[in-house]
Amino acid sequence: MLRTRTKSADKGTKPGRIHAVLTTLGSEIAQDVIAVGEALPPEHDLEIRFGVGRGVVREAIKTLAAKGLVSVRPRHGTHVRPRRDWSLLDRDVLTWLAGSREPDRELLLAIQEVRLIIEPAAAALAAERATKTDRQRINAALVAMETSHDQASATAADKAFHLAILDATHNPVLQGFRGAIDTILSAVFLVAVGTTGWFEDNLPNHAVAARAIDEGNARKARAAMEQVLGYTQLRLSKRTTAKSRKPAAKAAARVKGKRNAA
């Protein structure tokens, strides 16, 4: 009896060990600790590092390979693949890329371009297909956005709004983007923190989209969602430009200061 309970306990904790190894290696790859083209340490070294068995390491690497981060070749080892091969809309991959630091704005801009392709069409479909319950969810999320009092509540409400629209399409493929949109919005809010008006100024565009879906006006809903996403795209572009100019401005100021001192 004791032996059976022990085996069950070990089996129950294995997913947790796999997740821990997967998350650590995935984050190190995404943050360039293990760079593109580099080999991961041998299995035996990873077993020692994480204090796990070979099966756990192999399962973690298998998942990394499925997400496009690594290639596994017998007798050649496991190597990090180019970023273009990664499943960039995978929730885990996006989370690892965001990490604990501010996300790469160039990546966010690229993702916003994809959202501009997907979400306006989703809003149009939602206008045509939304049920009464769908419309109630969308409007409830809008009210929550308008009454949010901090970053956490604003982020949660914004996510709920976009996810409710995806659900209202009743298209299982579009609904498959839920995890990606959820993670993307979290990353966008990390960039938005400290930017005056970012959230509040875009609320009217969200309201227009919600009204259009209520009215069943697909054309208006598509245009409104394009405005929602276009606004975010514009603000991200401005922040990216400002960030790239800042080091140059500091360098110019140092040169000017040296000239004045001379």
Side-chain angles (χ1 to χ4, degrees):
M1 182 70 71
L2 178 59
R3 184 178 299 173
T4 302
R5 285 199 299 269
T6 302
K7 286 183 177 179
S8 298
D10 288 344
K11 186 176 181 180
T13 59
K14 186 175 180 180
R17 296 199 300 269
I18 294 171
H19 179 74
V21 176
L22 173 66
T23 300
T24 300
L25 293 178
S27 297
E28 290 179 353
I29 292 170
Q31 303 299 328
D32 290 327
V33 175
I34 308 174
V36 169
E38 284 189 14
L40 267 62
E43 285 183 359
H44 180 66
D45 291 355
L46 292 174
E47 290 169 33
I48 295 173
R49 175 186 175 186
F50 293 104
V52 297
R54 180 175 298 179
V56 170
V57 170
R58 288 186 173 178
E59 282 297 320
I61 291 175
K62 182 180 177 181
T63 303
L64 289 174
K67 295 176 185 295
L69 273 67
V70 300
S71 61
V72 183
R73 297 172 59 195
R75 291 181 299 212
H76 288 83
T78 302
H79 291 77
V80 177
R81 299 175 67 182
R83 183 172 289 193
R84 65 176 179 270
D85 296 329
W86 299 3
S87 300
L88 291 176
L89 290 181
D90 180 273
R91 183 196 292 264
D92 288 336
V93 176
L94 283 170
T95 301
W96 298 332
L97 283 166
S100 58
R101 60 183 175 83
E102 192 172 282
D104 181 349
R105 285 184 176 81
E106 293 300 326
L107 174 63
L108 286 181
L109 283 170
I111 292 171
Q112 282 296 118
E113 288 179 352
V114 176
R115 291 184 68 197
L116 274 164
I117 295 169
I118 294 170
E119 291 196 63
L125 281 176
E128 296 172 350
R129 301 176 179 177
T131 64
K132 180 180 178 180
T133 300
D134 292 329
R135 292 193 294 272
Q136 288 173 342
R137 285 184 60 207
I138 293 168
N139 286 312
L142 178 63
V143 171
M145 289 178 69
E146 293 170 340
T147 57
S148 61
H149 50 81
D150 54 27
Q151 182 196 343
S153 60
T155 303
D158 203 346
K159 286 180 180 181
F161 181 85
H162 288 275
L163 297 182
I165 290 175
L166 283 178
D167 287 342
T169 66
H170 296 278
N171 180 309
V173 178
L174 284 171
Q175 290 170 344
F177 284 96
R178 292 181 101 264
I181 297 301
D182 189 323
T183 305
I184 289 165
L185 286 171
S186 294
V188 168
F189 266 81
L190 280 177
V191 177
V193 171
T195 305
T196 304
W198 184 309
F199 180 78
E200 295 82 359
D201 293 350
N202 208 12
L203 276 175
N205 294 326
H206 287 75
V208 173
R211 282 199 302 272
I213 292 171
D214 261 348
E215 297 164 1
N217 190 326
R219 181 189 59 78
K220 186 177 176 182
R222 179 189 292 269
M225 188 56 71
E226 287 173 347
Q227 286 292 110
V228 169
L229 299 174
Y231 180 85
T232 302
Q233 184 93 345
L234 178 64
R235 295 299 290 265
L236 280 173
S237 298
K238 286 182 177 179
R239 286 289 299 269
T240 302
T241 302
K243 186 177 180 181
S244 64
R245 286 177 178 170
K246 191 176 293 184
K250 287 183 178 179
R254 284 197 296 269
V255 170
K256 184 177 180 181
K258 288 179 180 179
R259 285 175 179 170
N260 291 342

